[in-house]
Amino acid sequence: MSSKTRSAFRNRLEYGAVRTALWLFTRLPARVVFWITDRCGDVAYRLDVRHRAVAEANVARVFAGELDGLEVKALVRRVFRNFLRVAAELAMLPAELERRGLRDVIDIRGEEHVRQAFGSGKGVIVYSAHLGNWEAIAAAGEPLAMKLHSVGRAMDNPLLDRLLIAHRSRYARSV
């Protein structure tokens, strides 16, 4: 659904709910936040029939012959939970980096390969699937002396899109 077919009221309502949740996530213990995101993910899995159907079809196609129907549904339910956890972790990231430091928050693997590639003087393209918290990757750039840019599809809600870009821009330039 494009932002042109969405109502301004719906966009503002979603934006307000997300801002409230993000504010709340920065004030609660992580275990409570993740309990909340898991429950909300379960609700979203039940209610968002369109995205659930797309996700289940994609997972069934990728894992054809490996997962039965119930396993596909269970995996997609965990995907819904994970998307909300990513958002919560993004809200909590600045305080966690301040409190614990980059290397205790983000598990960086293969740094030597990236540094070697940068040493060639030609630049490097790093890409990621939606595994773990892909949004947190940008936070590793500056401390590792790497200038990062982030590329992503615009969200359907332009208010939420600007919010996400603002969060990403703390650590990387979004394009």
Side-chain angles (χ1 to χ4, degrees), residues 33-142:
V33 169
F34 296 137
W35 184 88
I36 292 169
T37 59
D38 284 352
R39 300 301 71 79
C40 290
D42 293 342
V43 170
Y45 173 80
R46 289 277 184 208
L47 297 179
D48 190 350
V49 176
R50 182 173 62 94
H51 287 109
R52 182 180 68 222
V54 169
E56 287 176 354
N58 288 341
V59 168
R61 187 173 25 261
V62 169
F63 292 102
E66 296 177 49
L67 300 179
D68 65 29
L70 289 177
E71 291 168 319
V72 166
K73 289 179 184 309
L75 178 56
V76 170
R77 183 170 158 247
R78 290 193 309 271
V79 168
F80 272 73
R81 286 179 168 190
N82 186 61
F83 266 77
L84 292 171
R85 280 181 174 240
V86 165
E89 287 174 348
L90 188 60
M92 297 184 297
L93 185 61
E96 285 299 302
L97 290 173
E98 179 74 25
R99 189 170 66 83
R100 295 173 37 209
L102 175 72
R103 294 194 186 272
D104 285 340
V105 175
I106 300 172
D107 181 18
I108 300 170
R109 297 182 189 174
E111 176 183 347
E112 66 280 7
H113 303 296
V114 175
R115 289 196 181 281
Q116 181 182 6
F118 269 113
S120 73
K122 297 180 182 178
V124 177
I125 296 175
V126 177
Y127 64 92
S128 172
H130 286 170
L131 301 172
N133 191 329
W134 61 92
E135 293 290 352
I137 294 169
E142 186 178 327

